[in-house]
Amino acid sequence: GAVVSQHPSRVICKSGTSVKIECRSLDFQATTMFWYRQFPKQSLMLMATSNEGSKATYEQGVEKDKFLINHASLTLSTLTVTSAHPEDSSFYICSARRRGEVYEQYFGPGTRLTVT
Amino acid sequence: GNSVTQMEGPVTLSEEAFLTINCTYTATGYPSLFWYVQYPGEGLQLLLKATKADDKGSNKGFEATYRKETTSFHLEKGSVQVSDSAVYFCALSAGGAGGTSYGKLTFGQGTILTVHP
């Protein structure tokens, strides 16, 4: 299999604080990880692409300083939402691409972030 | 840019009914096309894919054919089950190796399917 986990599954934080979300590939090496945001009843929006050991590539309109992405190893990527505000409340989903594969992505179950 | 348009849901069917979920796309080059399924409380899973024109992807009784002339990739199943209740996403991946779009997925808005016994 190719299992991707995310932690936490749900988090509530106060406005102005930072939150870190972890994405792990449990049984394979992920050379590339992707971070998406999903609004209610809407599609997934790609935020950024991260390759192990290099800086993330952000999509147009995504603030790099607000959404910090680190891909420190072949099995772990983190997304930190800095100085969170209520409008950052959303469902964040990561996916991972296995070494040697081209198109397939394996998705985590998502993290529900609520900023109060 | 690339885009994917799915038929709007939600779709509600009785068990054993025929299912079609329409998907059309706009892309530069020759994209690969995918259907992903998201069961309640779980992550997206790849349901089927097609990488070139006229290819038919199939899995678990679901099928979709890559139609370049109509830029479509409609999902079909002849007889749905209650366990098929989920959200279905059509997606494409376009861009050559090494390009900025390499391997990136563009998703449709998702279609909620509910199957009643």
Short mmCIF file of all heavy atoms in Angstrom, two decimals, chain B residues 43-77:
data_model
loop_
_atom_site.label_atom_id
_atom_site.label_comp_id
_atom_site.label_asym_id
_atom_site.label_seq_id
_atom_site.Cartn_x
_atom_site.Cartn_y
_atom_site.Cartn_z
N GLY B 43 -9.23 9.93 3.12
CA GLY B 43 -8.54 10.73 2.10
C GLY B 43 -8.96 10.33 0.71
O GLY B 43 -9.60 9.30 0.50
N LEU B 44 -8.60 11.14 -0.26
CA LEU B 44 -8.90 10.82 -1.65
C LEU B 44 -8.14 9.57 -2.08
O LEU B 44 -6.98 9.37 -1.72
CB LEU B 44 -8.48 11.97 -2.58
CG LEU B 44 -9.47 13.10 -2.77
CD1 LEU B 44 -9.53 13.99 -1.55
CD2 LEU B 44 -9.10 13.93 -4.01
N GLN B 45 -8.80 8.74 -2.86
CA GLN B 45 -8.16 7.55 -3.41
C GLN B 45 -8.32 7.58 -4.93
O GLN B 45 -9.37 7.97 -5.44
CB GLN B 45 -8.84 6.28 -2.89
CG GLN B 45 -8.85 6.12 -1.40
CD GLN B 45 -9.71 4.93 -0.98
OE1 GLN B 45 -9.90 3.98 -1.75
NE2 GLN B 45 -10.23 4.97 0.23
N LEU B 46 -7.29 7.15 -5.61
CA LEU B 46 -7.38 7.07 -7.06
C LEU B 46 -8.35 5.96 -7.43
O LEU B 46 -8.20 4.81 -7.00
CB LEU B 46 -6.01 6.79 -7.66
CG LEU B 46 -5.97 6.64 -9.18
CD1 LEU B 46 -6.37 7.95 -9.85
CD2 LEU B 46 -4.58 6.21 -9.64
N LEU B 47 -9.34 6.28 -8.24
CA LEU B 47 -10.32 5.29 -8.67
C LEU B 47 -9.92 4.69 -10.02
O LEU B 47 -9.90 3.48 -10.19
CB LEU B 47 -11.70 5.93 -8.78
CG LEU B 47 -12.85 5.04 -9.22
CD1 LEU B 47 -13.05 3.87 -8.26
CD2 LEU B 47 -14.14 5.85 -9.35
N LEU B 48 -9.59 5.56 -10.97
CA LEU B 48 -9.12 5.08 -12.26
C LEU B 48 -8.42 6.23 -12.99
O LEU B 48 -8.55 7.38 -12.61
CB LEU B 48 -10.28 4.54 -13.10
CG LEU B 48 -11.50 5.41 -13.31
CD1 LEU B 48 -11.31 6.36 -14.47
CD2 LEU B 48 -12.74 4.57 -13.56
N LYS B 49 -7.70 5.87 -14.04
CA LYS B 49 -6.98 6.88 -14.79
C LYS B 49 -6.87 6.48 -16.26
O LYS B 49 -7.03 5.31 -16.61
CB LYS B 49 -5.59 7.12 -14.21
CG LYS B 49 -4.66 5.94 -14.37
CD LYS B 49 -3.29 6.24 -13.74
CE LYS B 49 -2.37 5.03 -13.89
NZ LYS B 49 -1.07 5.25 -13.21
N ALA B 50 -6.58 7.47 -17.09
CA ALA B 50 -6.30 7.24 -18.51
C ALA B 50 -5.25 8.25 -18.94
O ALA B 50 -5.36 9.44 -18.59
CB ALA B 50 -7.57 7.40 -19.35
N THR B 51 -4.26 7.80 -19.62
CA THR B 51 -3.13 8.67 -19.92
C THR B 51 -3.06 9.12 -21.36
O THR B 51 -2.25 9.99 -21.70
CB THR B 51 -1.80 7.99 -19.55
OG1 THR B 51 -1.72 6.75 -20.26
CG2 THR B 51 -1.73 7.73 -18.05
N LYS B 52 -3.89 8.56 -22.24
CA LYS B 52 -3.90 9.05 -23.61
C LYS B 52 -5.27 8.88 -24.23
O LYS B 52 -6.12 8.13 -23.73
CB LYS B 52 -2.84 8.36 -24.46
CG LYS B 52 -2.98 6.88 -24.61
CD LYS B 52 -1.82 6.33 -25.42
CE LYS B 52 -2.03 4.86 -25.77
NZ LYS B 52 -2.04 4.00 -24.60
N ALA B 53 -5.48 9.58 -25.34
CA ALA B 53 -6.78 9.59 -26.01
C ALA B 53 -7.24 8.17 -26.33
O ALA B 53 -6.45 7.32 -26.74
CB ALA B 53 -6.71 10.43 -27.27
N ASP B 54 -8.55 7.95 -26.10
CA ASP B 54 -9.24 6.68 -26.35
C ASP B 54 -8.95 5.60 -25.32
O ASP B 54 -9.53 4.52 -25.39
CB ASP B 54 -8.96 6.15 -27.75
CG ASP B 54 -9.41 7.10 -28.84
OD1 ASP B 54 -10.44 7.78 -28.63
OD2 ASP B 54 -8.74 7.20 -29.88
N ASP B 55 -8.08 5.89 -24.38
CA ASP B 55 -7.85 4.94 -23.28
C ASP B 55 -9.11 4.84 -22.44
O ASP B 55 -9.80 5.84 -22.23
CB ASP B 55 -6.71 5.42 -22.37
CG ASP B 55 -5.37 4.86 -22.78
OD1 ASP B 55 -5.30 4.13 -23.79
OD2 ASP B 55 -4.39 5.15 -22.07
N LYS B 56 -9.37 3.67 -21.93
CA LYS B 56 -10.47 3.49 -20.98
C LYS B 56 -9.90 3.06 -19.66
O LYS B 56 -9.19 2.05 -19.58
CB LYS B 56 -11.47 2.45 -21.49
CG LYS B 56 -12.62 2.18 -20.50
CD LYS B 56 -13.50 1.03 -20.95
CE LYS B 56 -14.45 1.47 -22.03
NZ LYS B 56 -15.45 0.41 -22.34
N GLY B 57 -10.19 3.84 -18.62
CA GLY B 57 -9.81 3.44 -17.28
C GLY B 57 -10.97 2.71 -16.64
O GLY B 57 -12.13 3.04 -16.87
N SER B 58 -10.67 1.69 -15.83
CA SER B 58 -11.75 0.97 -15.17
C SER B 58 -11.27 0.42 -13.83
O SER B 58 -10.09 0.09 -13.66
CB SER B 58 -12.26 -0.17 -16.05
OG SER B 58 -11.23 -1.09 -16.30
N ASN B 59 -12.21 0.35 -12.88
CA ASN B 59 -11.89 -0.17 -11.55
C ASN B 59 -13.19 -0.29 -10.78
O ASN B 59 -14.03 0.62 -10.81
CB ASN B 59 -10.93 0.77 -10.83
CG ASN B 59 -10.47 0.21 -9.49
OD1 ASN B 59 -10.45 -0.99 -9.28
ND2 ASN B 59 -10.08 1.10 -8.60
N LYS B 60 -13.37 -1.38 -10.07
CA LYS B 60 -14.53 -1.60 -9.19
C LYS B 60 -15.86 -1.40 -9.92
O LYS B 60 -16.84 -0.93 -9.34
CB LYS B 60 -14.47 -0.64 -7.99
CG LYS B 60 -13.24 -0.82 -7.12
CD LYS B 60 -13.28 0.15 -5.95
CE LYS B 60 -12.05 -0.01 -5.07
NZ LYS B 60 -12.07 0.91 -3.92
N GLY B 61 -15.92 -1.69 -11.19
CA GLY B 61 -17.15 -1.54 -11.95
C GLY B 61 -17.33 -0.16 -12.55
O GLY B 61 -18.24 0.05 -13.34
N PHE B 62 -16.46 0.77 -12.21
CA PHE B 62 -16.51 2.11 -12.79
C PHE B 62 -15.66 2.15 -14.06
O PHE B 62 -14.64 1.47 -14.14
CB PHE B 62 -15.96 3.16 -11.80
CG PHE B 62 -16.83 3.39 -10.61
CD1 PHE B 62 -16.67 2.63 -9.46
CD2 PHE B 62 -17.79 4.38 -10.62
CE1 PHE B 62 -17.47 2.85 -8.34
CE2 PHE B 62 -18.59 4.62 -9.51
CZ PHE B 62 -18.42 3.84 -8.38
N GLU B 63 -16.10 2.98 -15.02
CA GLU B 63 -15.34 3.15 -16.25
C GLU B 63 -15.36 4.61 -16.67
O GLU B 63 -16.32 5.34 -16.36
CB GLU B 63 -15.98 2.35 -17.40
CG GLU B 63 -15.91 0.87 -17.26
CD GLU B 63 -16.49 0.18 -18.50
OE1 GLU B 63 -17.27 0.84 -19.24
OE2 GLU B 63 -16.18 -1.00 -18.71
N ALA B 64 -14.32 5.01 -17.38
CA ALA B 64 -14.30 6.33 -18.00
C ALA B 64 -13.38 6.26 -19.21
O ALA B 64 -12.31 5.64 -19.14
CB ALA B 64 -13.79 7.39 -17.02
N THR B 65 -13.81 6.89 -20.30
CA THR B 65 -13.03 6.86 -21.53
C THR B 65 -12.53 8.26 -21.85
O THR B 65 -13.30 9.23 -21.82
CB THR B 65 -13.87 6.33 -22.70
OG1 THR B 65 -14.31 5.01 -22.38
CG2 THR B 65 -13.05 6.29 -23.98
N TYR B 66 -11.27 8.37 -22.16
CA TYR B 66 -10.61 9.63 -22.49
C TYR B 66 -11.02 10.01 -23.92
O TYR B 66 -10.58 9.40 -24.89
CB TYR B 66 -9.10 9.39 -22.41
CG TYR B 66 -8.19 10.58 -22.53
CD1 TYR B 66 -7.03 10.61 -21.77
CD2 TYR B 66 -8.40 11.62 -23.41
CE1 TYR B 66 -6.11 11.65 -21.87
CE2 TYR B 66 -7.51 12.66 -23.51
CZ TYR B 66 -6.37 12.66 -22.75
OH TYR B 66 -5.47 13.70 -22.87
N ARG B 67 -11.86 11.05 -24.04
CA ARG B 67 -12.34 11.50 -25.35
C ARG B 67 -11.70 12.83 -25.68
O ARG B 67 -12.11 13.88 -25.18
CB ARG B 67 -13.86 11.66 -25.33
CG ARG B 67 -14.61 10.39 -24.97
CD ARG B 67 -14.63 9.41 -26.09
NE ARG B 67 -15.52 8.29 -25.81
CZ ARG B 67 -15.44 7.12 -26.43
NH1 ARG B 67 -14.49 6.91 -27.34
NH2 ARG B 67 -16.29 6.16 -26.15
N LYS B 68 -10.70 12.79 -26.53
CA LYS B 68 -9.99 14.03 -26.86
C LYS B 68 -10.86 14.96 -27.70
O LYS B 68 -10.82 16.17 -27.56
CB LYS B 68 -8.69 13.69 -27.59
CG LYS B 68 -7.73 14.84 -27.75
CD LYS B 68 -6.39 14.35 -28.26
CE LYS B 68 -5.36 15.48 -28.28
NZ LYS B 68 -5.74 16.56 -29.18
N GLU B 69 -11.68 14.38 -28.57
CA GLU B 69 -12.46 15.21 -29.48
C GLU B 69 -13.52 16.02 -28.75
O GLU B 69 -13.89 17.11 -29.20
CB GLU B 69 -13.11 14.35 -30.57
CG GLU B 69 -14.11 13.32 -30.08
CD GLU B 69 -13.50 12.03 -29.61
OE1 GLU B 69 -12.26 11.97 -29.46
OE2 GLU B 69 -14.26 11.08 -29.36
N THR B 70 -14.00 15.49 -27.64
CA THR B 70 -14.99 16.23 -26.86
C THR B 70 -14.41 16.72 -25.53
O THR B 70 -15.15 17.28 -24.70
CB THR B 70 -16.22 15.34 -26.54
OG1 THR B 70 -15.76 14.12 -25.91
CG2 THR B 70 -16.98 15.00 -27.81
N THR B 71 -13.14 16.55 -25.33
CA THR B 71 -12.42 16.90 -24.09
C THR B 71 -13.23 16.47 -22.87
O THR B 71 -13.54 17.27 -21.97
CB THR B 71 -12.08 18.40 -24.02
OG1 THR B 71 -13.29 19.18 -24.03
CG2 THR B 71 -11.19 18.81 -25.15
N SER B 72 -13.57 15.19 -22.85
CA SER B 72 -14.40 14.68 -21.77
C SER B 72 -13.83 13.40 -21.18
O SER B 72 -13.02 12.70 -21.81
CB SER B 72 -15.82 14.42 -22.27
OG SER B 72 -15.83 13.38 -23.24
N PHE B 73 -14.26 13.11 -19.97
CA PHE B 73 -13.82 11.90 -19.25
C PHE B 73 -14.94 11.53 -18.27
O PHE B 73 -14.79 11.57 -17.06
CB PHE B 73 -12.50 12.20 -18.53
CG PHE B 73 -11.78 10.98 -18.00
CD1 PHE B 73 -11.46 9.92 -18.84
CD2 PHE B 73 -11.37 10.91 -16.68
CE1 PHE B 73 -10.76 8.81 -18.37
CE2 PHE B 73 -10.68 9.80 -16.18
CZ PHE B 73 -10.38 8.76 -17.04
N HIS B 74 -16.08 11.16 -18.82
CA HIS B 74 -17.26 10.91 -18.00
C HIS B 74 -17.14 9.58 -17.24
O HIS B 74 -16.73 8.57 -17.82
CB HIS B 74 -18.51 10.85 -18.89
CG HIS B 74 -18.73 12.09 -19.71
ND1 HIS B 74 -18.44 13.36 -19.26
CD2 HIS B 74 -19.19 12.23 -20.98
CE1 HIS B 74 -18.73 14.24 -20.20
NE2 HIS B 74 -19.17 13.59 -21.26
N LEU B 75 -17.57 9.61 -16.00
CA LEU B 75 -17.51 8.40 -15.16
C LEU B 75 -18.85 7.67 -15.23
O LEU B 75 -19.90 8.30 -15.11
CB LEU B 75 -17.22 8.79 -13.70
CG LEU B 75 -17.10 7.65 -12.70
CD1 LEU B 75 -15.83 6.83 -12.98
CD2 LEU B 75 -17.06 8.19 -11.28
N GLU B 76 -18.80 6.34 -15.39
CA GLU B 76 -20.02 5.55 -15.48
C GLU B 76 -19.89 4.28 -14.64
O GLU B 76 -18.80 3.74 -14.46
CB GLU B 76 -20.30 5.16 -16.94
CG GLU B 76 -20.57 6.32 -17.86
CD GLU B 76 -20.89 5.88 -19.28
OE1 GLU B 76 -20.49 4.77 -19.66
OE2 GLU B 76 -21.54 6.66 -20.00
N LYS B 77 -21.06 3.85 -14.16
CA LYS B 77 -21.14 2.53 -13.52
C LYS B 77 -22.53 1.98 -13.80
O LYS B 77 -23.52 2.69 -13.65
CB LYS B 77 -20.89 2.62 -12.02
CG LYS B 77 -20.82 1.23 -11.37
CD LYS B 77 -20.42 1.28 -9.91
CE LYS B 77 -20.25 -0.15 -9.38
NZ LYS B 77 -19.88 -0.19 -7.94
#
